[in-house]
Amino acid sequence: MSGGDSARGTAFTETMLGSARLDGEDGIRRARLDLRVTAPQVLRPLGTTMARVSGRLRIAGWADDPCVTGEMEISPLARRRIRYRLAFTVRGRRLTLDGWKSVSPRRPVRSMTVLPYTLYDGEERLGTGTLRFPLATGLAPFLGSVRFPRREDGARHLAPRWRGERGRTEVWYTTVTDPATGRGLWLHHELTAPSDGSPPFAHGWAAVFPAARPDGTHDPVRHARFGPEPWRGGADGFRADGIAARPGHLEGTAGDFRWELTERPEDAPLFTFPRWSWRRSRLPAAQILPAARATYDGTVTYGGEKLALHGAPGASARIYGHGNAHRWAWLHADLGRGEVLEIVAAVSTRPGLRRLPPLVFLRLRRGGRTWPRRAERTAFGWAGFGRFRAALGHPDWSVTGRAGLRRIRVEVSLPAERTLRLDYADPDGSPAVCRNSETADAVVRLERWWGRWRPEEEWLLEGTAHAEVGER
């Protein structure tokens, strides 16, 4: 492969329709599979390409999992097959769909569009089925979704930014939703370099949030802190006594919490703030996601309970700056089908900026593209300041805005029983308070201008949004 090709990957979406027959049943169930496929290189027709997949599997009356993960082996000529191996959850069980398209030169269209598959629970067969790619309705969206994004190594953004300056805060945090139980996980790792020149220290916490229950009952939010302890540095991420947040791996202990997780990036980095603000530290603070989406496997134990994660969706993020904002709100929303929404709205603590309304940084990634194209658009507007506005409050807050031919409204709610209140401290010792929920609710409405504003898409997240509000 040429050097130019190696700098780009391949991404596309695919929808297949068909049926499933469960063992022991006489009837046939309708099935639908929506996938987002990402490969680390440009596809090689004469070779074999391995790709990561994520998406949603629906089998009528039996399965509806929007957090499907797995891999695809694309080898149409070398091995004459395109194999799918997917993991999905049904009633708390982690199951597998395994199948492949057998490519035949005598019947190229049929062989490339028909996917026979088998369903497994471990080694036990649960059923079989067939999915078909609908050429009449699916070809145009498929071709329109194909992208060759430039590859960027998100792992390099996990390396510490701090270079000995006074009055700095650096954060590595991870938020995850367990698709099997609905519980949320928050791991927070922080380096603080005090403004008075005192030695830097590391600290943080772990928290598990209960899932929403139809009957209104709930378990309490559980959390535990670690540190402070002297900062010992780390070339590739955060490291403290028995705790690490580095590329592909998270482990640690805090009180009765123990966790060990592997992290698999599923998307390219997402710069919530302008890219230059992360590289040059020109703003009071900046935030990025080394990967817009990731999946997690491993265990978290706390208070005699065990949370086992298998392909759980979430993301890790990074913050570097002078401390917390005067007021702020944050949202990470995995919208399914490879779509992600990230929002940071904040009022600066600096005297000249404190009187301004919240600046909004909003990034919506759909179909491999990020809207708006430039992060500055939502904060400073185009043809006027304040095109995007935030109404900050608790337990509810919202963001509205418009860029180009689209406008968006986001409403976020942090139910009290699923919210954790924590005290923060800036490098100068100034206190702040945040309220965080990794099982928050959110409604996202996207509209497009076609002579008038028309609904384009709507997402309803019940207990799967990751959100926060903070204040002085």
Side-chain angles (χ1 to χ4, degrees), residues 2 8 14 17 20 87 99 159 181 185 195 220 243 274 280 334 392 429 452:
S2 67
R8 291 190 177 272
E14 180 181 30
L17 308 174
T181 66
L185 172 66
S195 301
I243 297 171
R280 298 183 178 87
D334 189 320
L392 305 187
R452 62 182 177 88

Side-chain angles (χ1 to χ4, degrees), residues 190-215:
E190 185 168 331
L191 156 67
T192 299
S195 301
D196 62 6
S198 301
F201 58 90
H203 67 110
W205 50 82
V208 172
F209 295 76
R213 292 177 178 171
D215 62 2

Side-chain angles (χ1 to χ4, degrees), residues 392-408:
L392 305 187
H394 179 74
D396 304 321
W397 59 271
S398 64
V399 164
T400 58
R402 170 187 169 186
L405 297 177
R406 287 184 171 88
R407 72 180 183 183
I408 194 170

Side-chain angles (χ1 to χ4, degrees), residues 18-183:
S19 61
R21 182 190 294 274
L22 301 181
D23 292 346
E25 292 187 356
D26 295 330
I28 294 177
R29 300 172 182 262
R30 289 180 299 171
R32 176 181 176 126
L33 181 62
D34 297 281
L35 291 180
R36 172 76 182 168
V37 183
T38 56
Q41 62 195 59
V42 175
L43 297 184
R44 300 181 297 164
L46 299 179
T48 299
T49 302
M50 299 303 298
R52 296 294 307 167
V53 298
S54 60
R56 182 176 185 178
L57 173 65
R58 282 170 278 192
I59 299 177
W62 186 67
D64 186 357
D65 185 0
C67 301
V68 171
T69 60
E71 62 182 11
M72 180 188 295
E73 176 194 310
I74 307 173
S75 187
L77 296 179
R79 298 181 180 177
R80 292 192 177 183
R81 72 181 187 187
I82 303 174
R83 184 171 185 175
Y84 298 69
R85 186 170 177 83
L86 312 175
F88 63 101
T89 301
V90 176
R91 300 183 183 94
R93 294 185 299 165
R94 198 64 172 168
L95 309 179
T96 303
L97 182 153
D98 190 5
W100 58 85
K101 301 171 181 175
S102 299
V103 180
S104 169
R106 293 191 299 173
R107 294 184 296 175
V109 175
R110 176 178 172 79
S111 64
M112 291 282 287
T113 57
V114 177
L115 172 66
Y117 65 87
T118 304
L119 302 172
Y120 293 98
D121 182 356
E123 299 295 327
E124 178 186 357
R125 198 187 87 162
L126 297 180
T128 59
T130 302
L131 291 165
R132 292 175 174 83
F133 178 80
L135 285 172
T137 59
L139 184 58
F142 168 77
L143 294 176
S145 73
V146 176
R147 300 283 183 272
F148 301 98
R150 189 174 297 280
R151 289 165 49 199
E152 183 172 357
D153 183 12
R156 67 186 180 89
H157 295 301
L158 290 171
R161 299 290 310 278
W162 185 65
R163 296 295 180 267
E165 308 95 325
R166 296 183 179 184
R168 296 292 190 275
T169 295
E170 185 162 8
V171 178
W172 295 253
Y173 69 89
T174 299
T175 59
V176 184
T177 296
D178 177 25
T181 66
R183 285 180 287 183

Side-chain angles (χ1 to χ4, degrees), residues 382-440:
W382 180 78
F385 175 79
R387 181 65 64 88
F388 280 71
R389 296 181 174 87
L392 305 187
H394 179 74
D396 304 321
W397 59 271
S398 64
V399 164
T400 58
R402 170 187 169 186
L405 297 177
R406 287 184 171 88
R407 72 180 183 183
I408 194 170
R409 178 172 183 82
V410 183
E411 299 173 344
V412 183
S413 177
L414 289 78
E417 67 275 10
R418 292 183 262 138
T419 298
L420 175 64
R421 182 187 185 278
L422 284 175
D423 296 325
Y424 280 70
D426 285 339
D428 64 0
S430 301
V433 173
C434 91
R435 295 175 175 85
N436 179 289
S437 177
E438 303 307 325
T439 52

